Amino acid sequence: MSNIAFIGGVVETPAYFDNDILNIDLLILRKDLNKVERLTVITNNNEAIAKAIREINEGDYFLTTNAHIMTKTYLRTKELECSECYNTEYKKVKSERTEVIFNDFSILKFEGDMPEGINKVFLEGNVCSDLNYRDKDGKSYCKYKLAVNQKVFDTKAEYPYIVTFGKDAELSKTYLKKNSRVFIEGSIQQRDIRQSEPFRCDACGVEAVKKIPNIVREIITSNVLFLDKDKSDDK
């Protein structure tokens, strides 16, 4: 089973803890896309934490070839403020987020321009959701959830969202359905979004739709292998 991530980028801010989890914010220069991406990697490995505290400084180049994708469920607090009476309410909701977990890393020093980053993910798993396929103005898009097991017959799985474009999206529509097996090569994209949340103020009764900030991470494919393709062709 495949669940491998290779990540390299410049440390943007000092490492910090969220509960017992060490977080490192990276800037990844993607020359293939002509842009700089932001990505947070985390660890709860005690040896990696101790090493990070000793060795990592802001501006260093962080490289890990010992990382994987994990889906974490957590409680998120939504802050809802009434625009009329300014009463603030807090709502706890269960959320799910894809994380990059590293167990070891290397630190490289550099001078001058930012070095090229690395953002590579290799996953093998089964489609576990309906496909969200769109074709607008000749641009194809397909999104689905993948169940990625660490080992054969492992009952525990990770559930990242997979996003494909173009020809791979069209082929996904043809060859993929729930339980289809697929191998993915791609990169993890981190986006800041604002989600709509209906809101009724308990203090004054005003109803509104609030925009709540959140972080979304998805796997953007660069290569897709349809492992059940021959079975589909036989039908």
Side-chain angles (χ1 to χ4, degrees):
M1 297 303 196
S2 294
N3 182 350
I4 303 168
F6 299 150
I7 304 293
V10 177
V11 178
E12 181 181 17
T13 59
Y16 58 93
F17 282 94
D18 183 359
N19 295 319
D20 294 327
I21 307 296
L22 183 75
N23 290 244
I24 301 173
D25 295 334
L26 300 177
L27 296 174
I28 300 175
L29 175 60
R30 294 286 301 275
K31 289 189 176 180
D32 56 329
L33 301 177
N34 195 29
K35 69 175 184 179
V36 175
E37 299 176 329
R38 282 183 166 82
L39 180 63
T40 300
V41 297
I42 68 174
T43 188
N44 60 356
N45 181 294
N46 290 331
E47 292 184 5
I49 290 174
K51 181 180 176 181
I53 292 172
R54 290 194 311 268
E55 298 185 10
I56 295 180
N57 295 300
E58 184 177 345
D60 288 344
Y61 190 89
F62 172 97
L63 173 66
T64 179
T65 58
N66 186 355
H68 64 279
I69 298 300
M70 177 179 287
T71 308
K72 294 178 69 68
T73 302
Y74 65 101
L75 282 178
R76 182 163 63 95
T77 301
K78 295 182 177 181
E79 182 178 320
L80 303 168
E81 182 182 80
C82 178
S83 57
E84 294 294 325
C85 69
Y86 301 106
N87 175 58
T88 301
E89 299 176 13
Y90 300 92
K91 181 179 179 182
K92 288 189 178 294
V93 295
K94 183 179 288 188
S95 294
E96 190 177 86
R97 181 182 295 165
T98 296
E99 304 281 5
V100 181
I101 313 292
F102 69 91
N103 294 312
D104 198 5
F105 63 91
S106 299
I107 291 296
L108 308 175
K109 304 293 183 181
F110 71 94
E111 296 181 0
D113 295 338
M114 179 185 292
E116 186 171 358
I118 301 170
N119 187 344
K120 279 286 186 183
V121 177
F122 302 91
L123 301 173
E124 181 182 340
N126 294 85
V127 177
C128 61
S129 72
D130 293 328
L131 272 62
N132 177 7
Y133 177 82
R134 299 198 300 265
D135 190 347
K136 185 177 180 181
D137 300 327
K139 297 179 180 179
S140 300
Y141 163 99
C142 189
K143 181 176 180 178
Y144 52 90
K145 210 170 189 180
L146 195 68
V148 180
N149 299 91
Q150 297 283 37
K151 301 176 182 178
V152 177
F153 305 125
D154 193 350
T155 57
K156 184 182 184 304
E158 313 303 338
Y159 299 96
Y161 277 103
I162 309 298
V163 179
T164 64
F165 298 95
K167 187 65 174 178
D168 278 339
E170 296 173 17
L171 291 173
S172 295
K173 180 187 178 185
T174 301
Y175 292 113
L176 293 184
K177 60 182 183 298
K178 279 188 179 179
N179 294 322
S180 294
R181 194 145 195 87
V182 64
F183 179 85
I184 298 295
E185 177 184 350
S187 60
I188 184 163
Q189 175 183 264
Q190 177 173 296
R191 296 187 292 126
D192 294 316
I193 64 170
R194 299 182 71 83
Q195 295 175 312
S196 297
E197 176 75 19
F199 169 70
R200 185 180 189 280
C201 180
D202 289 341
C204 69
V206 166
E207 295 184 356
V209 176
K210 295 293 182 179
K211 295 293 187 179
I212 308 299
N214 195 17
I215 294 174
V216 172
R217 298 191 185 100
E218 301 158 323
I219 308 301
I220 310 299
T221 67
S222 58
N223 189 29
V224 181
L225 297 180
F226 305 99
L227 303 181
D228 292 336
K229 179 175 179 294
D230 291 341
K231 297 177 184 178
S232 299
D233 288 341
D234 290 340
K235 292 181 180 179

